[in-house]
Amino acid sequence: MIFWLQGSIQPGLRGHPSLGFPHTDGHAFFKFVSDGSVRGENAIECVSPILKGADGKRTLKNALKTLNQAGATVNKSCGLHVHIGAANLTPEQYANVFINYYYLETLIDTFMANSRRGNNNGYCASLRNHPGLIDCKTIDAVKSELDFDRYHKVNPMSYGRHKTIEFRQHQGSTDEKKILNWVMFCGRLVEWSKKHRLDADVTSIDAIPFLTAKEKGFFKSRSNELN
């Protein structure tokens, strides 16, 4: 799995460097950049390099340890954006990811903060506003159905620039367990979508077809905590 993350935080540090536009691919380090959507004193965005497999997870764990030692915090204006590599998807496989998320979204809302549910956040609007998604079979059809607008829970516009699918729904976090479980959720969804397309809402975490029993247990625990 190839992924990278953008997470808005308040690092508790002054005089941090700004290292350029956050969406430039190819940097080999974590960098801190400005983000006008994040509120609070000294609010910034942390952007990871491209991370791959087990080594990428270890790198992420080390980065989160450092952020927490530095006193990084989040608030309701912060989001966690996960980019999953999609360069090898066919147009129909790409469309499947959005369709499958559409049918999973109401359930996903149960293990997200209230500020990231439904249409509660203008930076990650609901896919459920676009029932025409379920008939899409190409990348261009998905973009058109979502009004060529990146501010959805799944962003249809990152593919053109980065060859990724960006998942924007998760609230900001510096918690390793929360972040890694969500990264795995997004990665497994993309992989499963290569061969599968849902045709009805999934209403139980136990019925999510691409999660392990341990991962289902984590998301059930999160749902219980938040509801």
Side-chain angles (χ1 to χ4, degrees):
M1 181 173 66
I2 300 174
F3 64 98
W4 57 278
L5 302 98
Q6 300 163 240
S8 40
I9 59 172
Q10 295 175 288
L13 302 171
R14 294 189 180 276
H16 61 80
S18 178
L19 295 176
F21 190 68
H23 307 307
T24 301
D25 296 340
H27 57 92
F29 45 83
F30 286 78
K31 62 180 181 179
F32 299 105
V33 299
S34 61
D35 186 326
S37 68
V38 186
R39 299 185 300 274
E41 183 180 0
N42 200 26
I44 58 173
E45 182 175 59
C46 178
V47 185
S48 82
I50 294 173
L51 303 170
K52 299 181 181 181
D55 287 342
K57 291 179 188 178
R58 282 191 291 271
T59 298
L60 178 58
K61 288 180 181 181
N62 289 335
L64 290 170
K65 180 178 179 180
T66 300
L67 285 171
N68 285 308
Q69 288 175 341
T73 59
V74 299
N75 60 35
K76 286 185 178 180
S77 72
C78 297
L80 173 70
H81 300 168
V82 178
H83 287 253
I84 302 294
N88 295 325
L89 298 183
T90 67
E92 188 164 358
Q93 289 170 339
Y94 175 94
N96 285 353
V97 175
F98 287 80
I99 293 166
N100 291 337
Y101 202 100
Y102 176 94
Y103 283 123
L104 287 161
E105 185 186 312
T106 302
L107 182 60
I108 292 171
D109 279 356
T110 69
F111 48 81
M112 294 291 172
N114 187 62
S115 61
R116 314 296 287 192
R117 298 181 183 182
N119 283 302
N120 290 346
N121 193 303
Y123 292 104
C124 55
S126 175
L127 299 189
R128 302 291 293 195
N129 299 331
H130 300 274
L133 272 177
I134 63 175
D135 297 318
C136 290
K137 293 185 179 180
T138 68
I139 296 169
D140 286 343
V142 171
K143 290 180 180 179
S144 178
E145 177 61 33
L146 295 177
D147 303 319
F148 301 94
D149 182 2
R150 68 188 179 99
Y151 293 121
H152 287 89
K153 291 178 181 177
V154 189
N155 171 14
M157 304 307 293
S158 67
Y159 184 86
R161 184 164 193 158
H162 308 291
K163 293 298 183 287
T164 66
I165 296 176
E166 180 191 20
F167 296 86
R168 299 175 56 88
Q169 183 172 2
H170 203 287
Q171 61 272 14
S173 180
T174 61
D175 184 285
E176 174 189 312
K177 193 171 183 180
K178 291 178 184 177
I179 292 173
L180 284 175
N181 271 281
W182 182 239
V183 168
M184 292 306 300
F185 183 104
C186 297
R188 291 189 191 281
L189 170 59
V190 171
E191 185 65 26
W192 189 80
S193 297
K194 291 179 179 179
K195 296 182 178 180
H196 303 90
R197 176 182 286 211
L198 294 169
D199 58 9
D201 288 342
V202 179
T203 58
S204 165
I205 292 173
D206 280 325
I208 297 176
F210 49 84
L211 295 183
T212 67
K214 184 177 181 180
E215 289 162 350
K216 290 176 182 178
F218 171 82
F219 288 110
K220 284 192 284 187
S221 175
R222 288 292 296 149
S223 182
N224 290 335
E225 289 172 10
L226 292 166
N227 296 286

